[in-house]
Amino acid sequence: MKLPGHDAIARQADEHLVTHRVKLPKKAVENPFRQVAKRLAMALLVLAATTFLVYADSSGYNDNSDGSVDFLDAAYYATVTLSTTGYGDITPVSDGARLTNILVITPLRVLFLIILVGTTLEVLTERTREEWRINRWRSTLREHTVVVGFGTKGRSAIQTVCATGLKKEQVIVVDPSAKVIDAATAEGYAGIVGDATRSEVLKRAEVHKARKIIIATQRDDTAVLVTLTARQLNKAAKIVAAVREEENAPLLKQSGADAVITSASAAGRLLGLSVLSPAAGMVMEDLIQQGSGLDIIERPVIKAEVGKKPRETEDLVVSVVRGHRVLGYDDPAVGTLELTDRLITIVRVTPGTQVAPDARPIPED
């Protein structure tokens, strides 16, 4: 295992000491600057309407300074009236002006205050509402999936899991990069900014309540530390980790991972297979791609299949899961299928935008 020394690990942890925080997917709301601009325009419109009303009935008002009310005096009166300042130097004296104040200017004053005070309250309560939303989300979170790392591997893993029916609301992404988490929340996932090797970060992701944990970090040593921390917090969750070097896979399993995928070796084997048999490489590539052509799935045995052999089912059975054992379709220990068995089968899904392997030309040597 190629692990750095303890000092190097400590320095790496210090470099990633960022303020871990929860980021929920943003709701489709209007740009805040545009909202403020709209409300400001509405307030100015109300102010202008009040000014013209007063100026149109200027004869019904009295200015203590010179007795007459011009346009500037009308704008001044509208401003101090709508803002509830009311100095009293300009007052309505005629019955028509007073009636206009009661029926028109007073409702405009209320509307003006609602626009300004509403904008202020919304800004002040935004943090409180976000905290309340996060607390409510945290209280209802159960049996979710935590994905550590939102690179190519983590993103593909999420897409594959969600294609089987998992809701995006049940996925939490943990990554030390704020930009990466912003990208995850933009796609509808909840995100935690922080170093997943630290237990407090994983606790923020409610790892102790998670059902599945996917570890797709960029470094193998980081994957080991994350696996150890996650297994310590959750003894029952299924942990799947990816490593670059095959020699590090046993250490990941010793750290608590249920399954370890060696990305470099898997890519190398696919490359070699594609060279030896382009057609076989195309089939393997199609099996890896979720949602089109051929897919490999796990499903329970139905009653009609009980007592039959794997080859007698309608689907192409690859393996039989019996208890904690995975048996090949031709393993004599399988015998006949039982109701408690689960089947690993290859099925053809609904054709999508991609072309099925049997319809694509085989590359020439």
Side-chain angles (χ1 to χ4, degrees):
M1 171 70 185
K2 300 178 181 178
L3 288 174
H6 294 291
D7 295 338
I9 295 178
R11 286 196 301 271
Q12 181 187 357
D14 291 337
E15 291 174 357
H16 290 87
L17 279 178
V18 295
T19 303
H20 48 274
R21 58 190 183 277
V22 178
K23 285 189 176 183
L24 296 182
K26 295 181 180 179
K27 297 181 179 179
V29 295
E30 192 176 11
N31 186 288
F33 294 103
R34 186 176 298 176
Q35 289 184 353
V36 173
K38 281 186 176 181
R39 296 189 183 190
L40 180 60
M42 292 173 62
L44 293 176
L45 182 62
V46 172
L47 179 62
T50 306
T51 300
F52 281 108
L53 282 174
V54 175
Y55 182 70
D57 192 20
S58 59
S59 60
Y61 292 82
N62 179 57
D63 187 352
N64 294 336
S65 63
D66 56 10
S68 63
V69 176
D70 56 16
F71 186 79
L72 179 60
D73 293 331
Y76 166 75
Y77 175 79
T79 303
V80 298
T81 299
L82 292 181
S83 62
T84 68
T85 305
Y87 294 112
D89 48 352
I90 299 178
T91 56
V93 292
S94 68
D95 292 341
R98 291 177 176 177
L99 186 62
T100 301
N101 268 262
I102 295 173
L103 299 179
V104 180
I105 295 181
T106 297
L108 289 176
R109 180 189 299 119
V110 174
L111 178 61
F112 187 84
L113 292 176
I114 289 176
I115 293 173
L116 294 185
V117 175
T119 302
T120 303
L121 289 177
E122 182 172 352
V123 172
L124 293 177
T125 59
E126 182 65 28
R127 178 180 292 272
T128 303
R129 289 193 302 167
E130 185 66 17
E131 287 295 329
W132 177 80
R133 184 184 175 205
I134 289 175
N135 291 333
R136 187 180 67 171
W137 163 79
R138 194 187 302 279
S139 64
T140 58
L141 197 60
R142 295 288 187 281
E143 300 292 316
H144 58 286
T145 299
V146 176
V147 180
V148 180
F150 197 65
T152 303
K153 292 180 291 186
R155 193 187 302 264
S156 299
I158 295 177
Q159 293 174 352
T160 301
V161 174
C162 289
T164 61
L166 181 68
K167 297 181 179 179
K168 290 186 176 182
E169 294 80 4
Q170 288 294 106
V171 177
I172 302 178
V173 177
V174 181
D175 198 282
S177 172
K179 293 183 179 180
V180 171
I181 294 301
D182 288 339
T185 55
E187 294 187 21
Y189 309 111
I192 307 289
V193 180
D195 184 359
T197 61
R198 303 176 63 84
S199 59
E200 58 264 29
V201 175
L202 293 182
K203 287 179 180 178
R204 295 280 287 178
E206 302 292 321
V207 164
H208 57 286
K209 300 179 184 177
R211 184 178 182 182
K212 300 175 183 177
I213 303 172
I214 300 174
I215 301 174
T217 58
Q218 299 298 323
R219 294 169 56 97
D220 289 1
D221 56 329
T222 304
V224 172
L225 294 176
V226 174
T227 303
L228 285 170
T229 307
R231 181 56 74 196
Q232 183 181 14
L233 296 174
N234 192 328
K235 303 296 184 182
K238 183 177 182 180
I239 300 179
V240 178
V243 293
R244 292 179 178 271
E245 303 296 335
E246 192 168 1
E247 64 186 40
N248 296 331
L251 185 55
L252 262 295
K253 291 185 177 180
Q254 293 176 12
S255 302
D258 296 292
V260 179
I261 306 300
T262 307
S263 56
S265 298
R269 283 192 291 270
L270 184 57
L271 286 172
L273 180 61
S274 299
V275 169
L276 296 175
S277 173
M282 291 168 57
V283 173
M284 288 300 300
E285 182 183 357
D286 184 68
L287 286 172
I288 294 174
Q289 294 176 350
Q290 181 77 22
S292 67
L294 299 175
D295 270 357
I296 185 166
I297 64 170
E298 178 180 341
R299 68 169 179 83
V301 172
I302 60 177
K303 291 184 178 180
E305 296 172 336
V306 175
K308 294 183 178 180
K309 294 183 178 181
R311 291 184 176 181
E312 296 176 350
T313 62
E314 294 183 359
D315 294 337
L316 179 59
V317 178
V318 178
S319 299
V320 177
V321 181
R322 179 168 295 171
H324 298 286
R325 297 185 302 166
V326 180
L327 306 174
Y329 71 94
D330 57 348
D331 194 321
V334 174
T336 58
L337 297 177
E338 301 175 1
L339 190 60
T340 56
D341 291 340
R342 298 186 65 84
L343 303 179
I344 307 296
T345 66
I346 295 177
V347 298
R348 179 170 295 281
V349 297
T350 302
T353 56
Q354 299 177 354
V355 182
D358 55 3
R360 288 183 290 175
I362 299 176
E364 297 180 359
D365 296 334

